């Protein structure tokens, strides 16, 4: 089965290409390389022994996307391609709505036209905002988005729900990711943040290897055990496997038009816990200082993943230690290349 992977050269997309291949699917990668690098293809080939079809195409380019559908029978699509920098979305909301919502509309219209019946959508725990109760379940209230980025995820989920209800040609699953971290254990693919990382773990690894100054911990006066924010950090390989499980679920459950699943570990860790675990598991030092809170940060969020376990037959297999070890090994491999 040919699975179109939009954003397939990105962090989560590339790891999902590996797991799709490992499960017997044929991934076809579409990526405009705006936030990724073509060398990822080499890493994917070294891991799988397979050179994957890659189209350097912007998902908003209807004509270019249609040519991909004309050239390949597409049995399903996993839609990663989107901009995801929360802060940038506040500065450039129109770009975010055009890029994130527009690309979904182009993809779904072509899936309708060319009878590609299955869609997995990359959504996010940001739709929950600051939850009233923890852990959040898929039925937890969706709070008003804290950023245009988060709003695009909420809007896209609603578009998919309406479109799959109206047309029996496409059935879809939205996966609400928590915080993806780590890298493939081979250290051949991983996170490639452009510029100064805004996310915690890539900043930690770049600081530890000397590329950055000390880590600034954004606030230690939150209502949490150690005062720092709590998140649900999931290994990117576990996250990738959830996409394969979702495709298999859609294939085996024809009555499912649209459904939503939390994809996380089901437990929360604080920033300081991540820092201390990183130092311990990698036996390295890390300089950090407590700084002011970061505007827009949620105090604590982590997922209830019982539904994913029950219906998708999926759950995480890797630990926070595994994630931080793989993230560090990936950083070390990058420094050997440079
Ligand atoms: C985690 C914690 C920071 C950097 C992100 C994306 C969001 C979604 C999930 C895709 C927070 C703290 C961070 C630093 C710090 N991704 N931190 N110093 O904000 O939970 O969400 O991943 O859907 O779009 O924004 O992740 O890694 O930025 O922050 O103290 O230098 O680490 O304050 O508490 P976040 P993050």
């Amino acid at each position: 089965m040919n699975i179109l992977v939009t954003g397939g050269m990105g962090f989560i997309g590339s790891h999902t290409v590996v797991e799709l291949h490992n499960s017997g699917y044929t991934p076809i990668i579409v990526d405009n390389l705006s936030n990724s690098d073509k060398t990822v293809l080499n890493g994917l080939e070294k891991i799988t022994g397979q050179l994957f079809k890659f189209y350097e195409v912007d998902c908003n380019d209807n004509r270019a996307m249609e040519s991909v559908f004309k050239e390949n029978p597409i049995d399903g699509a996993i839609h990663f391609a989107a901009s995801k920098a929360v802060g940038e979305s506040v500065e450039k909301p129109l770009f975010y709505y055009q890029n994130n919502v527009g690309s979904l509309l182009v993809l779904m219209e072509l899936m309708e036209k060319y009878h590609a019946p299955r869609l997995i959508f990359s959504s996010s725990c940001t739709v929950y905002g600051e939850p009233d109760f923890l852990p959040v379940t898929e039925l937890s209230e969706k709070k008003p988005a804290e950023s245009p980025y988060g709003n695009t995820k909420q809007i896209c989920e609603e578009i998919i729900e309406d479109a799959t209800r109206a047309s029996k040609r496409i059935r879809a699953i939205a996966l609400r990711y928590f915080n993806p971290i780590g890298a493939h254990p081979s250290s051949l693919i991983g996170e490639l943040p452009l510029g100064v990382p805004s996310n915690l773990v890539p900043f930690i690894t770049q600081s530890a290897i000397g590329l950055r100054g000390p880590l600034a911990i954004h606030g230690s006066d939150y209502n949490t055990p150690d005062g720092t924010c709590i998140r649900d950090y999931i290994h990117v390989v576990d996250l990738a496997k959830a996409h394969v499980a979702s495709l298999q679920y859609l294939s085996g459950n024809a009555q499912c038009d649209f459904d939503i699943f939390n994809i996380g570990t089901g437990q929360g860790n604080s920033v300081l816990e991540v820092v201390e675990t990183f130092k311990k598991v990698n036996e390295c030092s890390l300089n950090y200082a407590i700084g002011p809170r970061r505007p827009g940060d949620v105090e604590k969020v982590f997922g209830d993943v019982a539904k994913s376990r029950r219906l998708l037959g999926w759950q995480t297999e890797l630990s926070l230690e595994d994630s931080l070890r793989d993230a560090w090994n990936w950083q070390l491999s990058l420094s050997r290349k440079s």
Side-chain angles (χ1 to χ4, degrees):
M1 285 172 74
N2 289 344
I3 303 297
L4 198 64
V5 184
T6 74
M9 300 285 260
F11 177 36
I12 306 168
S14 56
H15 288 79
T16 302
V17 164
V18 171
E19 299 309 326
L20 286 168
H21 171 82
N22 292 346
S23 298
Y25 292 96
T26 303
I28 295 171
I29 300 171
V30 166
D31 200 305
N32 67 2
L33 299 181
S34 64
N35 190 26
S36 52
D37 190 296
K38 199 171 179 182
T39 57
V40 167
L41 270 181
N42 306 331
L44 292 171
E45 187 181 1
K46 285 179 188 162
I47 294 170
T48 64
Q50 176 72 37
L51 188 55
F52 297 102
K53 263 190 185 180
F54 165 58
Y55 293 85
E56 187 174 350
V57 162
D58 187 313
C59 288
N60 263 298
D61 182 340
N62 206 323
R63 183 190 303 273
M65 282 293 282
E66 181 150 24
S67 64
V68 178
F69 278 82
K70 282 178 177 168
E71 284 177 32
N72 307 275
I74 302 296
D75 301 293
I78 304 181
H79 187 42
F80 293 106
S83 300
K84 65 152 192 135
V86 172
E88 183 187 47
S89 77
V90 175
E91 294 158 18
K92 302 176 182 172
L94 293 181
F95 171 75
Y96 268 68
Y97 288 110
Q98 176 59 56
N99 192 41
N100 292 6
V101 180
S103 62
L104 175 70
L105 295 174
V106 167
L107 177 65
M108 291 195 79
E109 283 162 351
L110 288 169
M111 288 178 74
E112 279 264 358
K113 184 173 179 180
Y114 289 88
H115 304 286
R118 298 172 187 83
L119 171 63
I120 311 299
F121 174 68
S122 165
S123 189
S124 167
C125 63
T126 45
V127 304
Y128 296 116
E130 183 78 63
D132 298 326
F133 305 98
L134 285 170
V136 285
T137 74
E138 291 83 355
L139 297 176
S140 295
E141 182 191 0
K142 284 200 294 187
K143 294 290 187 66
E146 310 257 338
S147 68
Y149 160 78
N151 203 26
T152 65
K153 292 301 182 183
Q154 291 185 359
I155 292 167
C156 286
E157 284 189 5
E158 290 161 13
I159 288 170
I160 296 168
E161 184 164 18
D162 289 345
T164 52
R165 185 184 296 120
S167 148
K168 295 305 173 200
R169 280 187 179 176
I170 303 181
R171 297 185 294 113
I173 279 177
L175 298 180
R176 290 176 179 167
Y177 309 158
F178 286 76
N179 287 55
I181 61 170
H184 194 267
S186 66
S187 295
L188 290 166
I189 55 173
E191 196 164 7
L192 280 170
L194 299 181
V196 179
S198 63
N199 293 139
L200 177 64
V201 172
F203 196 100
I204 285 176
T205 59
Q206 289 190 14
S207 175
I209 206 158
L211 284 175
R212 304 280 171 214
L215 168 73
I217 293 182
H218 299 324
S220 64
D221 58 350
Y222 286 100
N223 180 25
T224 61
D226 64 19
T228 62
C229 291
I230 291 174
R231 296 287 185 278
D232 181 334
Y233 295 97
I234 176 173
H235 195 298
V236 65
V237 171
D238 276 334
L239 174 56
K241 290 178 177 177
H243 294 78
V244 177
S246 297
L247 277 175
Q248 291 164 344
Y249 176 77
L250 276 182
S251 300
N253 291 273
Q255 81 286 354
C256 168
D257 290 337
F258 175 62
D259 211 344
I260 294 170
F261 293 90
N262 282 344
I263 301 299
T265 65
Q267 64 183 22
N269 287 106
S270 73
V271 176
L272 275 173
E273 284 172 338
V274 171
V275 167
E276 292 312 316
T277 305
F278 176 82
K279 290 161 63 177
K280 176 165 157 275
V281 79
N282 294 310
E283 295 175 355
C284 66
S285 63
L286 179 74
N287 296 324
Y288 65 86
I290 303 293
R293 291 185 174 195
R294 181 172 68 176
D297 268 342
V298 163
E299 179 172 85
K300 42 182 181 280
V301 61
F302 55 94
D304 178 316
V305 292
K307 181 181 175 185
S308 298
R309 189 181 312 119
R310 187 175 72 253
L311 295 183
L312 298 182
W314 169 92
Q315 62 183 13
T316 51
E317 300 161 3
L318 298 166
S319 66
L320 179 66
E321 289 77 5
D322 294 323
S323 300
L324 295 170
R325 181 181 306 110
D326 290 336
W328 180 235
N329 289 336
W330 164 244
Q331 186 69 63
L332 292 171
S333 77
L334 286 176
S335 60
R336 283 193 291 272
K337 284 180 212 167
S338 57

